[in-house]
Amino acid sequence: MRDEWIHVGRLWTNGEQFLAIDSAGRGDWRGDSDEEFDRTLELTPRETGLVVGTRTAVLVGGDGVVRDDSWIEVFRSESGVLAFVQAGGPDYRMALAAALACPDEDDLDGAVVGVDSSELAVFTAAADGDGEFANPFERARPGPVPAEHGPPPRGAGPGLLISTEGVAAYRLKVRWFTELDDESRFARWLLIPLAAGH
């Protein structure tokens, strides 16, 4: 689709979506303690963002048609695009590669998320962004692409902190459930860096 992709992490969903927000504002999300998670359940597939405090968060990951309980694989391209891919099928790596290679011209244009802090926080909308009712976080780092989907994590699945140095904002593009063949399918959420002033 664009250039080479590097796997930088994975997120576990039990069917819920994930928020991607400027890390400085993650504490404003109270998905558990104030039941703000319910806000995400009322959104249509065309609604890709919501206001959290004074910032906009975008929704990435969680297409219940691809799978209910599932890993969302996170990639970064050489040009700085972030991809969140949910895939299923007998050849997991093939499904992931096909998702990343799929053109994005027909994807749904989504909301814009600013990252003034130079760090993006991505975490389950069912938890708080920080504090007692938050899941732990891991830092995104390069690693091998998983060979298979694999079992869920032990305990609470961690969120990801992704460095966005040099990027002030991203626009979301979404491709919902897409069939590759009778057994393989994917959904994909792209965060595309925006030039200054957009």
Side-chain angles (χ1 to χ4, degrees):
M1 189 177 78
R2 286 182 168 79
D3 41 19
E4 293 299 314
W5 293 93
I6 298 169
H7 187 267
V8 296
R10 56 192 337 211
L11 302 157
W12 178 260
T13 173
N14 290 310
E16 79 280 10
Q17 293 181 302
F18 285 81
L19 291 182
I21 189 171
D22 187 327
S23 186
R26 65 185 170 100
D28 292 329
W29 180 255
R30 294 288 178 245
D32 185 352
S33 60
D34 290 345
E35 299 182 355
E36 285 193 313
F37 173 61
D38 292 346
R39 292 173 58 194
T40 67
L41 302 177
E42 300 166 358
L43 299 175
T44 70
R46 298 196 69 81
E47 294 176 287
T48 59
L50 69 169
V51 175
V52 176
T54 61
R55 296 172 173 83
T56 296
V58 294
L59 296 160
V60 294
D63 183 324
V65 183
V66 175
R67 294 180 67 119
D68 288 328
D69 299 343
S70 179
W71 287 108
I72 307 292
E73 308 294 351
V74 185
F75 298 84
R76 188 198 301 265
S77 76
E78 291 176 333
S79 60
V81 177
L82 299 173
F84 300 80
V85 179
Q86 184 178 18
D91 188 335
Y92 191 58
R93 280 188 174 163
M94 180 280 294
L96 292 172
L100 293 170
C102 188
D104 64 11
E105 288 81 6
D106 296 328
D107 291 10
L108 170 69
D109 284 323
V112 172
V113 57
V115 279
D116 295 338
S117 72
S118 298
E119 184 177 74
L120 190 70
V122 187
F123 56 95
T124 172
D128 289 358
D130 68 2
E132 180 183 358
F133 301 103
N135 288 359
F137 281 85
E138 295 179 348
R139 296 211 167 269
R141 60 184 183 277
V145 178
E148 58 185 24
H149 183 272
R154 293 183 178 180
L160 277 179
L161 297 174
I162 304 172
S163 173
T164 62
E165 197 66 45
V167 178
Y170 294 90
R171 177 170 295 283
L172 179 66
K173 294 194 83 171
V174 181
R175 175 176 287 270
W176 294 106
F177 176 81
T178 301
E179 285 187 302
L180 294 168
D181 55 42
D182 290 342
E183 297 181 286
S184 304
R185 62 267 177 205
F186 73 88
R188 181 186 68 193
W189 298 260
L190 298 175
L191 288 179
I192 300 173
L194 292 179
H198 285 75

